[in-house]
């Protein structure tokens, strides 16, 4: 009995040529057990989707609409919305304009730097001081005394 379908190639085995190139050495058909050393010849197949029913995946996929944004606003890679991102950067810029150097650009870090500045009575510098969230009133007192002593 003859072939009932068009063969579709898949690689079954890999090997090396005499020049040591890694190549496919045996092909098989994905629809039957037929094998050969070269890929099966391929005929262009055209499917007319004008007569498809509701079960045709191609027709369903054709009607998909892609949306790169988020309903709450554009999402940055970290999952932060653009609005939140802009708000945090504005708070950071404001802190820097006041001479405060937070440990980062997150809202918690900026607020901790503001609190530390209030306790210290001077602008907090995350580059040279302990983490802002660790500065309590006793620590601030010691830090002020050390600064006054020039240490």
């Amino acid at each position: 009995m003859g072939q009932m379908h068009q063969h579709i190639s898949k690689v079954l085995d890999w090997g090396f040529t005499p020049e040591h190139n890694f190549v496919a050495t045996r092909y098989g058909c994905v629809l039957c057990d037929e094998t050969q050393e070269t890929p099966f010849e391929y005929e262009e197949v055209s499917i007319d989707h004008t007569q498809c029913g509701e079960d045709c995946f191609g027709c369903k996929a054709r009607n998909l609409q892609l949306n790169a944004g988020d309903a709450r606003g554009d999402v940055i890679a970290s999952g932060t919305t653009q609005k939140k991102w802009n708000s945090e950067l504005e708070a950071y810029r404001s802190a820097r304009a006041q001479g405060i150097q937070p440990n980062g650009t997150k809202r918690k870090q900026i607020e901790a730097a503001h609190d530390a500045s209030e306790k210290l009575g001077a602008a907090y510098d995350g580059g040279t001081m302990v983490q802002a969230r660790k500065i309590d009133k006793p620590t601030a007192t010691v830090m002020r005394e050390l600064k006054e002593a020039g240490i």
Side-chain angles (χ1 to χ4, degrees):
M1 194 159 145
Q3 166 186 334
M4 301 300 288
H5 62 271
Q6 178 180 347
H7 293 300
I8 302 171
S9 297
K10 66 178 178 181
V11 175
L12 296 176
D13 295 315
W14 293 89
F16 291 96
T17 66
E19 294 80 27
H20 303 287
N21 294 322
F22 193 58
V23 295
T25 57
R26 191 164 63 107
Y27 296 85
C29 176
V30 298
L31 303 173
C32 67
D33 293 331
E34 185 75 25
T35 63
Q36 62 186 42
E37 292 181 2
T38 59
F40 294 100
E41 286 191 31
Y42 178 75
E43 292 179 20
E44 186 69 32
V45 177
S46 177
I47 299 173
D48 179 11
H49 287 284
T50 60
Q51 304 298 320
C52 295
E54 293 179 10
D55 295 331
C56 177
F57 178 77
C59 289
K60 288 179 185 176
R62 183 182 62 209
N63 294 324
L64 289 176
Q65 293 181 2
L66 299 178
N67 182 356
D70 181 347
R72 299 170 307 215
D74 294 331
V75 177
I76 297 170
S78 66
T80 305
T81 63
Q82 188 67 45
K83 190 174 183 178
K84 182 179 177 189
W85 178 265
N86 289 342
S87 171
E88 287 181 341
L89 285 181
E90 185 53 41
Y92 181 81
R93 282 188 201 103
S94 174
R96 293 296 292 131
Q98 297 171 49
I100 299 170
Q101 175 62 60
N103 294 104
T105 59
K106 299 273 188 247
R107 177 76 59 188
K108 269 181 133 175
Q109 295 168 316
I110 298 164
E111 289 171 0
H114 276 286
D115 291 344
S117 295
E118 287 177 26
K119 291 172 188 164
L120 291 167
Y124 171 78
D125 181 1
T128 60
M129 298 178 179
V130 298
Q131 289 187 5
R133 63 182 173 78
K134 294 183 178 181
I135 298 177
D136 54 13
K137 286 187 179 186
T139 304
T141 301
V142 171
M143 289 175 73
R144 275 194 308 272
E145 290 173 358
L146 290 172
K147 186 176 181 181
E148 289 169 6
I151 298 175

